[in-house]
Amino acid sequence: MFRTALRNVFAHKARLLMTVLAVMLGVAFVSGTLVFTNTISEAYQKSSAKGFDHVDVAVAPKYRESEGDTVGKSAELTQDLLDKAEQTPGAASAVGVVSGFTAIADKDGKLVGGGFQSRGGNYWGDKDARYPLASGRAPNGSGQVAIDSETAARAGYKVGDTVRLSVNGPVLTPTISAIFTTDDGNVSAGGSLALFDTATAQQLFGKKGTYDEIDVKAAAGTSQAQLKAALDKALPKDTTETTTGRQLADDQAETIADSMSGLRQGLLVFAGISLFVGTFIIANTFSMLVAQRTKELALLRAVGASRRQVTRSVLIEAFVVGTVAAVTGLVAGVGIGAGLRSLVGSLGGTVPDGPLIITTGTVGAALAVGILITMLAAWLPGRRAAKIPPVAAMSSVHAKATTKSLVLRNTIGALFSAAGIAVVLAATTMEGTDGQAPMGLGAVLLIIGVFVLTPLLSRPVIATASPVLRVFGISGKLARQNSVRNPRRTAATASALMIGLTLITGMTVMAGSLQTSIDKMAASAIKADYVVSMANGPFLSPDVEKKLAGTGYVTATSPLRNAPSRIDGKTEYLTGVKGSTIGKLTDLKVDDGAFEVGGTRVVVDGDTAERHGWKAGSDFTVSYEDGKKQQLTVAGIYEANEMMRGIMLDLGTLSPHQSNPTDMQVMVKTSDGASAATKDRLEKALGSNPAIRVQDKEDISNGIAQMFTLLLNMLYGLLAMAVLVAVLGVINTLAMSVFERSQEIGMLRAIGLDRKGTKRMVRLESLLISLFGGVLGIGLGVFFGWAAGELLGSRMATYELVLPWARMALFLLLAATVGVLAALWPARRAARLNMLAAIKSE
């Protein structure tokens, strides 16, 4: 039986090629993902570990948890603690570390580095071992700065140049006193690092006389564990906590691994979709191969082969196919991993140097996935073939499915579909994350149910195309009959395309609806002409709002400032605003009371008010972060949205209780309204700072639209793999169907069907199958998009369903294109069949 199985594999090489390709693509995606993420993770871990070479023990401030009316906060690392750490037995030296966000502009005024990776810190003394100087000398005073060598090379800076910096808003223009080298992982990843002298860094980052961390180097002969024990004795336990450099490196490695796991899981989901789609092709291929060899298998049974041996022979064929596909997929996956790494670099990202990582786990996963998927998909056709009695197989009595089996299949499909729809509808009535798991379960049940029902659905759906097919004469009639002749085969072929289009359509519906909702939110919630914020997230200095308010053409400004507090024993974040102007800058619907902010009168969003049992006129006591308490009165309750929510109170009330106030953003209204000229004036008033973003309502919406567009394009690219596998499935099914119907096609040719008619028949059949899958996929995608929107709408008041008709028409056109392209080779092959040879074939 083993030799028989091998001979069958070699005898059907061409027919099994598409199956090999389908499995190979899925395996390549899996192995490529593992190679890419392992390589990136390993490179970052090694790079970050180098950054701890100069740290034996790190002393960090201890965080005091919120309790009762006391707001939690971190202790301070003072100069006294630094001196104690340095004088501890076993300590060779101690360095006080100060760090914060620092944006560097290049010579064209554009931001260097990426977002949170744009960092600043302090250079310790005249020679900091952490940052060896490549040229120049240590920074001294507020007019000097040192920058890393990679940033200097990218921006074209050298020692003596003036550079434009921004820490929290205002532009600084120090002179570059030095260029240094560093193993900092953020710099390796494409970020930037600027270093000031310690006093300047403390001033800029709001850490006057204090440090973020104290790094202690052990004396010769003292281990990290011994130094840690000595520091634990010397330093107060209620304000400090210590960690060895080795532990910091391990923690950092774990953090990097965790961050990579999210990316890995996301990519593997799409690889799994491709493999899932591939199973339809495998099952279809083996079902057709087994059907074509029914008499051969019956003869084996007749001469003594058992059912298990027949099933085993099919599984051996699947094992050989899966092994070939897995090995070639693994090789292709290594190339994909290397290509993705290069792609990151070409898109502006920087990955630390390091070898390509191919682990035994990656090899094992590739082989296991390829072989197991193929064998599982082939098991059912093999088992079905083995159950056919030899006499029945010889006379082809088995050819048609029994009424009982079809009724059972349709009943199971209807039950799964009904259960899926019920669970999805139930999930839409839930709120937030509670409905995510039920909706996912319902979606899986519904997709399974529709797949099982697809043979039943194929006849009425394809029948609707009959009027159009009449235009093509006998070719159109034959194409329609062929496409519904074997509903199960048509269903398996169409379902592969259906799954890909379901996901693409669902995400497109969601993205379009969210974008419209955000546009409405921005238009309805904000009256301000502009919103000013840092380009990459950090907080703004209060000086930004003061500078804007001082310009003659700005009529109203208000910062939005966050501050923690304790109310009724729970932590609540307050939002400080200018009470006199906030009403001119926002347009929030008030459900109870009045939108009045000033003194001790505040406004509260509906959710917060409901949680505390407040209404207009209610009084409550707040404990600020400085420990002082105050009684506030709820003047009004407003409807929150994703942009504005929480407790709003006047800055005059909040600011006295903050030691280092910073703003999240500043809302601005101008006398001339929003225009390109006004925006340019505002940017110039802020020193043309590349780190500050000035946005009108359209800019805010466009910025969010760009994120959605980028995400969608990435998802389209990933799902293209599943669609490509589906194309292979259509090609494979048609090619094998042509072979199976060789005698029939020869007879048609003999009675007058010309080559063009034969080609047209196969193409129309392919088009019908692809459009059938496309219609099902788009229909399911719209349903899932609506359901997910209903779930999201419970948290977003402005959410409304928007159907992207143009995109859906494009997806249907894509399905038709798939059908036309997939039929090219099978149609040509059918037209070139020799009539006499085909008629004589069995």
Side-chain angles (χ1 to χ4, degrees):
M1 294 303 295
F2 180 75
R3 288 195 299 270
T4 301
L6 287 181
R7 280 199 298 270
N8 282 324
V9 170
F10 289 114
H12 303 108
K13 294 189 293 292
R15 300 181 221 176
L16 291 171
L17 177 62
M18 294 299 174
T19 299
V20 171
L21 285 174
V23 179
M24 185 201 75
L25 286 173
V27 172
F29 208 158
V30 171
S31 55
T33 296
L34 296 175
V35 169
F36 172 66
T37 52
N38 288 339
T39 298
I40 297 292
S41 181
E42 182 80 7
Y44 278 129
Q45 286 177 20
K46 287 184 176 179
S47 177
S48 65
K50 292 179 182 177
F52 298 107
D53 288 346
H54 300 286
V55 182
D56 285 318
V57 176
V59 181
K62 197 166 190 177
Y63 182 77
R64 184 186 65 191
E65 299 289 341
S66 299
E67 187 177 357
D69 293 332
T70 304
V71 178
K73 64 178 182 179
S74 294
E76 293 183 337
L77 298 180
T78 61
Q79 183 64 39
D80 180 54
L81 288 172
L82 175 61
D83 294 338
K84 284 184 179 179
E86 191 167 24
Q87 294 164 11
T88 300
S93 62
V95 173
V97 179
V98 184
S99 64
F101 172 81
T102 302
I104 302 177
D106 61 19
K107 291 184 176 180
D108 296 325
K110 296 180 180 178
L111 193 64
V112 178
F116 66 92
Q117 296 169 339
S118 299
R119 304 296 299 168
N122 66 311
Y123 190 91
W124 190 255
D126 296 326
K127 191 174 182 181
D128 194 328
R130 300 171 299 169
Y131 308 110
L133 296 182
S135 60
R137 58 184 182 180
N140 185 17
S142 59
Q144 294 185 357
V145 67
I147 65 173
D148 69 270
S149 56
E150 293 187 30
T151 298
R154 286 200 301 269
Y157 284 126
K158 61 181 184 299
V159 173
D161 288 346
T162 298
V163 62
R164 297 174 70 243
L165 304 172
S166 178
V167 172
N168 56 7
V171 174
L172 307 174
T173 55
T175 300
I176 298 175
S177 69
I179 293 174
F180 60 90
T181 59
T182 177
D183 293 320
D184 189 294
N186 285 329
V187 174
S188 300
S192 62
L193 181 60
L195 300 178
F196 309 89
D197 68 24
T198 299
T200 302
Q202 288 175 325
Q203 176 72 28
L204 290 174
F205 302 132
K207 309 283 174 56
K208 295 179 182 178
T210 64
Y211 303 96
D212 293 306
E213 184 177 289
I214 297 172
D215 292 342
V216 186
K217 189 71 177 172
T222 303
S223 68
Q224 291 187 355
Q226 290 171 334
L227 179 58
K228 180 182 184 302
L231 287 168
D232 286 339
K233 290 181 181 179
L235 301 178
K237 293 181 180 180
D238 57 335
T239 57
T240 62
E241 52 188 8
T242 60
T243 310
T244 63
R246 189 175 296 106
Q247 183 62 50
L248 287 173
D250 291 343
D251 291 344
Q252 182 75 3
E254 187 176 346
T255 300
I256 292 171
D258 288 342
S259 65
M260 285 293 109
S261 69
L263 174 63
R264 182 185 292 117
Q265 288 171 8
L267 292 174
L268 287 177
V269 165
F270 291 97
I273 293 169
S274 298
L275 287 167
F276 182 60
V277 171
T279 57
F280 293 112
I281 300 176
I282 301 165
N284 227 9
T285 301
F286 277 93
S287 292
M288 295 174 76
L289 285 175
V290 168
Q292 291 168 15
R293 289 161 41 209
T294 301
K295 290 186 179 181
E296 173 191 330
L297 295 175
L299 183 60
L300 289 174
R301 290 287 313 282
V303 297
S306 67
R307 287 186 177 183
R308 287 186 178 181
Q309 285 178 313
V310 171
T311 303
R312 196 179 302 132
S313 70
V314 175
L315 291 179
I316 290 170
E317 292 179 44
F319 175 80
V320 174
V321 171
T323 302
V324 172
V327 172
T328 53
L330 175 61
V331 174
V334 173
I336 289 173
L340 286 173
R341 178 174 173 170
S342 299
L343 180 63
V344 170
S346 66
L347 294 176
T350 304
V351 179
D353 292 333
L356 208 61
I357 305 299
I358 305 169
T359 65
T360 53
T362 299
V363 175
L367 294 175
V369 166
I371 294 170
L372 288 177
I373 290 291
T374 308
M375 292 184 70
L376 284 173
W379 175 76
L380 188 60
R383 184 171 176 270
R384 189 185 301 133
K387 290 176 69 177
I388 300 172
V391 175
M394 291 287 189
S395 57
S396 298
V397 175
H398 68 287
K400 292 185 180 180
T402 63
T403 304
K404 180 180 178 182
S405 68
L406 291 175
V407 170
L408 179 63
R409 179 180 179 128
N410 294 337
T411 302
I412 292 172
L415 290 174
F416 268 90
S417 299
I421 292 172
V423 174
V424 169
L425 292 177
T428 61
T429 63
M430 301 178 185
E431 292 190 4
T433 56
D434 294 341
Q436 290 179 2
M439 185 164 292
L441 174 62
V444 171
L445 290 174
L446 180 54
I447 288 176
I448 292 173
V450 171
F451 168 66
V452 175
L453 284 176
T454 305
L456 178 67
L457 298 173
S458 63
R459 290 183 181 276
V461 173
I462 291 176
T464 59
S466 295
V468 178
L469 293 174
R470 289 197 188 102
V471 177
F472 299 97
I474 190 64
S475 296
K477 182 178 180 180
L478 289 171
R480 183 181 65 80
Q481 290 175 346
N482 288 334
S483 59
V484 296
R485 177 188 296 181
N486 191 330
R488 291 183 176 180
R489 184 187 305 167
T490 298
T493 307
S495 295
L497 190 60
M498 176 192 78
I499 292 170
L501 287 179
T502 295
L503 295 170
I504 290 174
T505 304
M507 288 185 293
T508 303
V509 170
M510 281 280 296
S513 301
L514 277 171
Q515 182 57 50
T516 301
S517 305
I518 289 166
D519 289 344
K520 286 177 61 179
M521 185 187 301
S524 62
I526 300 176
K527 286 187 192 175
D529 295 322
Y530 293 98
V531 175
V532 179
S533 61
M534 291 296 282
N536 6 49
F539 297 124
L540 286 165
S541 164
D543 293 340
V544 172
E545 189 270 334
K546 293 175 183 176
K547 186 169 287 189
L548 290 170
T551 57
Y553 49 88
V554 173
T555 58
T557 63
S558 175
L560 297 181
R561 183 178 301 170
N562 253 5
S565 72
R566 297 286 286 180
I567 300 173
D568 297 336
K570 297 179 180 179
T571 298
E572 292 281 358
Y573 278 87
L574 309 173
T575 301
V577 297
K578 262 190 181 179
S580 58
T581 60
I582 190 64
K584 303 174 185 176
L585 299 167
T586 59
D587 189 18
L588 298 170
K589 183 181 177 182
V590 179
D591 295 328
D592 186 16
F595 196 87
E596 180 185 340
V597 180
T600 59
R601 295 179 66 77
V602 303
V603 292
V604 184
D605 72 274
D607 291 340
T608 304
E610 183 179 356
R611 194 165 62 245
H612 288 280
W614 297 336
K615 57 184 180 180
S618 297
D619 294 325
F620 64 92
T621 301
V622 60
S623 297
Y624 297 107
E625 55 187 310
D626 64 353
K628 295 182 179 178
K629 297 182 180 180
Q630 187 174 27
Q631 190 175 61
L632 303 176
T633 301
V634 178
I637 297 172
Y638 66 92
E639 287 187 9
N641 56 51
E642 296 301 309
M643 302 179 73
M644 307 284 288
R645 62 174 61 248
I647 302 171
M648 292 189 196
L649 74 163
D650 190 68
L651 283 173
T653 305
L654 176 63
S655 296
H657 303 287
Q658 293 184 289
S659 57
N660 185 30
T662 54
D663 300 328
M664 295 181 292
Q665 57 189 34
V666 178
M667 305 177 78
V668 180
K669 196 166 186 65
T670 62
S671 55
D672 299 330
S675 67
T678 303
K679 182 177 180 179
D680 187 55
R681 291 171 71 185
L682 289 172
E683 289 175 343
K684 287 181 178 177
L686 296 171
S688 299
N689 192 332
I692 291 184
R693 181 171 52 191
V694 179
Q695 294 179 295
D696 59 19
K697 284 184 268 193
E698 185 178 353
D699 291 331
I700 294 172
S701 296
N702 288 341
I704 297 171
Q706 287 177 355
M707 289 190 292
F708 281 135
T709 302
L710 178 63
L711 180 61
L712 267 182
N713 288 339
M714 289 173 60
L715 294 175
Y716 287 162
L718 293 169
L719 286 171
M721 182 73 74
V723 175
L724 178 59
V725 173
V727 173
L728 294 177
V730 178
I731 296 173
N732 206 26
T733 300
L734 287 173
M736 297 186 72
S737 178
V738 166
F739 179 84
E740 191 178 69
R741 301 189 335 243
S742 295
Q743 189 177 61
E744 174 189 322
I745 293 171
M747 290 292 293
L748 290 171
R749 291 289 314 283
I751 62 175
L753 187 67
D754 59 12
R755 289 190 173 185
K756 286 186 178 180
T758 304
K759 285 183 179 180
R760 191 181 302 121
M761 175 186 71
V762 176
R763 288 171 184 163
L764 289 173
E765 181 182 349
S766 175
L767 186 64
L768 280 174
I769 293 172
S770 297
L771 286 175
F772 174 52
V775 168
L776 289 182
I778 292 171
L780 284 174
V782 169
F783 176 71
F784 291 140
W786 165 82
E790 289 294 303
L791 186 62
L792 188 62
S794 65
R795 304 182 64 184
M796 184 180 286
T798 56
Y799 184 86
E800 65 171 290
L801 178 68
V802 176
L803 294 181
W805 295 106
R807 286 283 181 96
M808 289 192 293
L810 184 63
F811 296 155
L812 199 59
L813 181 62
L814 171 65
T817 304
V818 165
V820 172
L821 294 177
L824 291 178
W825 177 57
R828 185 167 178 268
R829 184 183 177 195
R832 295 181 66 182
L833 283 175
N834 183 285
M835 283 185 282
L836 295 178
I839 292 172
K840 289 191 297 181
S841 66
E842 292 187 6

